[in-house]
Amino acid sequence: TAGKGKIVMATVKGDVHDIGKNIVGVVLACNGYEIIDMGVMVQTKDILDAAQAKGADLIGVSGLITPSLDHMVAVAKEMQRRGMSTPLLVGGATTSAKHTAVKVAPEYAGPVTHVLDASLAVGVASKLLGTDKEAFVAETRKKQARMVEQFEAKQKRQPLLPIAEARTRRLAIDWTAAPVVKPGFLGTRELRASLAQLSEYIDWTPFFHAWELKGRFPKILDDERYGEKARELFEDGQAMLKTLIGDARLEAKGVYGYFPAASHGEDLVIYQGEDRTQERERIPMLRQQGELASCLSLADFVAPSADYVGAFAVTTGLGLDAIVADYEKAHDDYSAIMAKAIADRLAEAFAEFAHEKVRNELGIAKGETRDDLIAEKYQSIRPAFGYPACPDHGPKEELFRLLDATSATGIALTESMAMLPTASVSGLYFFHPEAKYFSIGTIGDDQMADYKARGGKAIGLGAL
């Protein structure tokens, strides 16, 4: 059948995440659209060549990590260079209506629309391919122009502190008051856990978010609006969890370690040995530049003399491709997506399990309950590169070198620093009682220049 229209969809180059894209694809296919799904890590040229060759009515690009935002801008630029007029749909967890309006839409004369989630995709597609296309495009452009104005006004309204001044507001820690937490060994060790063990550590709230049901677990199960759907989904999730635990193909592998360290300004310096004479890795960090009482940097949580940091990389995605391929062969897209969603939850559970082990080893655990774990009410943090406190994905390279992570766990990094398998988590451990999560927010050109001079790669810092 001709269907309602042809849609080429892809996760952009360097990005390996596709749960959201696949859900959107299934929803659109169920509504009569022909979906040409090009998979993950697709080069801009390949997406557009396919769209032109197959006469696509719409092009949908997706991404989950912040470097993908830059690739979406590149897609828009290339569509403009080719003189295309096909509407471009932008979606994925890191994307936003604001980023689409400010960075993507100005690069392409054709229609550019941000799609928040799968439930809205059908409406957007039908408007772009229907008789009221012109009115919809004009309305979208008006909204985007307003967002650009608001963004520019906010930039003027919230001036950033010069980086030199932000540094004078660094977090002042009395290093004599809290003793440095000293690990019992230095270097790396492997982490082992069964999937059954890890299932105890699952935080189910993000599982529902992956399926676009907003709300906190377990309350969501009794939600007036989503309750019935949530209970059904939870049942399916539990069944898949059981299947994956019983299926010997899915494997959990991890590595963690402790290293002698110190902070030099915003640099986190990791040494070869306890004598701290030889640098092993130097990881540049960023500092908040907003008008704040304390302008934080992760480096502030590490003593400027003798201290220690930890690092970890864990995955529960080894063997997942074969399991997903079996479901796809049987045309069971729902189970294929469900298997990926559960593997992602298990990876986060593994990171939580490992962090608890680390706190116990260091003697800083202090009788935590499982609720404390989910609420992150404990000493020590485990920030991941690409997240708000350290938004540059670049230092994953140093982290992986420190841990020899690829040979220890089988996790590889893509050109945009996404981890493969996708059901993987990596990051650093900071142990000081005052260490906490925060968001760097917008940084100034002065700090960006300084950061790059210190070796910062700034991969994925184009997010708003």
Side-chain angles (χ1 to χ4, degrees):
T1 58
K4 294 180 179 174
K6 242 184 232 179
I7 307 178
V8 163
M9 293 174 72
T11 299
V12 294
K13 76 172 189 170
D15 201 331
V16 291
H17 300 88
D18 64 357
I19 291 178
K21 169 180 71 66
N22 294 354
I23 292 174
V24 170
V26 169
V27 170
L28 286 166
C30 289
N31 280 274
Y33 293 91
E34 184 188 337
I35 304 300
I36 300 156
D37 188 342
M38 300 187 66
V40 299
M41 293 202 287
V42 191
Q43 301 284 343
T44 298
K45 178 185 184 304
D46 297 339
I47 298 171
L48 302 185
D49 285 354
Q52 288 181 311
K54 294 178 191 296
D57 300 297
L58 298 173
I59 296 169
V61 289
S62 172
L64 187 107
I65 54 169
T66 45
S68 300
L69 296 171
D70 297 333
H71 293 309
M72 291 173 184
V73 173
V75 170
K77 281 183 175 166
E78 179 58 14
M79 289 176 79
Q80 182 66 16
R81 194 191 69 75
R82 292 186 183 204
M84 295 173 75
S85 59
T86 314
L88 175 65
L89 306 180
V90 172
T94 50
T95 65
S96 66
K98 183 166 77 167
H99 182 271
T100 304
V102 175
K103 296 275 180 89
V104 187
E107 300 296 344
Y108 180 48
V112 181
T113 311
H114 178 253
V115 184
L116 185 63
D117 60 39
S119 63
L120 301 175
V122 175
V124 170
S126 68
K127 285 192 176 101
L128 285 168
L129 300 179
T131 47
D132 54 355
K133 174 186 172 178
E134 277 172 32
F136 176 71
V137 170
E139 180 59 30
T140 304
R141 288 202 165 123
K142 217 161 74 186
K143 279 183 192 157
Q144 288 174 340
R146 253 202 320 271
M147 281 180 201
V148 172
E149 268 171 42
Q150 285 164 351
F151 175 72
E152 286 169 353
K154 189 180 170 195
Q155 298 296 92
K156 289 195 187 90
R157 211 172 48 244
Q158 294 181 335
L160 298 172
L161 297 173
I163 186 58
E165 191 179 332
R167 283 178 176 142
T168 66
R169 301 188 187 191
R170 71 179 291 140
L171 183 68
I173 287 180
D174 177 0
W175 291 102
T176 56
V180 161
V181 175
K182 187 176 179 180
F185 71 91
L186 293 177
T188 62
R189 286 188 182 170
E190 78 168 25
L191 276 163
R192 284 281 177 193
S194 70
L195 298 182
Q197 246 177 317
L198 297 180
S199 68
E200 303 282 314
Y201 288 78
I202 290 179
D203 174 5
W204 285 98
T205 298
F207 167 76
F208 293 100
H209 294 176
W211 294 92
E212 296 168 5
L213 294 181
K214 306 285 182 261
R216 291 196 73 76
F217 178 82
K219 269 191 189 154
I220 191 166
L221 300 179
D222 300 314
D223 186 270
E224 271 179 45
R225 190 167 160 207
Y226 300 123
E228 195 180 334
K229 209 170 169 192
R231 287 192 296 276
E232 195 181 310
L233 198 60
F234 187 51
E235 228 167 85
D236 293 347
Q238 294 284 346
M240 179 58 73
L241 179 59
K242 234 188 187 133
T243 301
L244 293 178
I245 290 171
D247 188 331
R249 287 181 294 174
L250 192 65
E251 194 187 353
K253 246 183 168 178
V255 61
Y256 77 114
Y258 303 113
F259 308 92
S263 60
H264 288 183
E266 281 88 44
D267 285 352
L268 176 60
V269 183
I270 294 164
Y271 296 100
Q272 289 286 7
E274 191 72 276
D275 59 1
R276 294 174 168 73
T277 52
Q278 218 183 330
E279 280 188 23
R280 184 170 168 182
E281 297 288 354
R282 183 177 277 255
I283 301 177
M285 295 292 181
L286 291 160
R287 182 173 297 286
Q288 292 173 319
Q289 275 183 276
E291 184 56 74
L292 301 159
S294 282
C295 294
L296 300 176
S297 169
L298 283 175
D300 296 351
F301 304 138
V302 179
S305 51
D307 205 342
Y308 303 88
V309 295
F312 72 97
V314 296
T315 184
T316 52
L318 303 165
L320 182 64
D321 286 352
I323 295 166
V324 168
D326 283 353
Y327 286 123
E328 285 173 348
K329 249 187 240 133
H331 303 291
D332 185 354
D333 291 334
Y334 178 63
S335 294
I337 296 168
M338 184 61 80
K340 290 181 184 184
I342 294 295
D344 280 357
R345 288 297 89 224
L346 284 166
E348 282 294 339
F350 199 175
E352 212 51 82
F353 167 87
H355 199 182
E356 184 182 59
K357 176 183 169 68
V358 161
R359 293 193 304 279
N360 280 318
E361 279 183 357
L362 298 173
I364 56 174
K366 306 187 188 82
E368 305 149 356
T369 68
R370 191 52 43 86
D371 287 346
D372 290 341
L373 289 194
I374 286 175
E376 288 167 356
K377 286 183 184 158
Y378 45 70
Q379 182 177 330
S380 176
I381 57 170
R382 54 170 182 92
F385 291 111
Y387 282 80
C390 40
D392 184 2
H393 286 258
K396 281 183 200 161
E397 264 186 326
E398 286 84 338
L399 179 76
F400 270 53
R401 267 205 304 270
L402 262 182
L403 293 165
D404 195 10
T406 301
S407 63
T409 64
I411 307 171
L413 293 171
T414 72
E415 59 188 312
S416 294
M417 299 287 152
M419 289 176 286
L420 254 180
T422 50
S424 303
V425 184
S426 64
L428 292 170
Y429 294 128
F430 294 86
F431 309 126
H432 194 274
E434 287 194 54
K436 62 174 182 185
Y437 298 103
F438 59 91
S439 176
I440 288 290
T442 310
I443 61 167
D445 294 340
D446 56 351
Q447 179 169 196
M448 184 62 101
D450 172 88
Y451 180 67
K452 285 184 171 170
R454 290 187 287 123
K457 301 181 190 78
I459 296 172
L461 290 186
L464 299 176

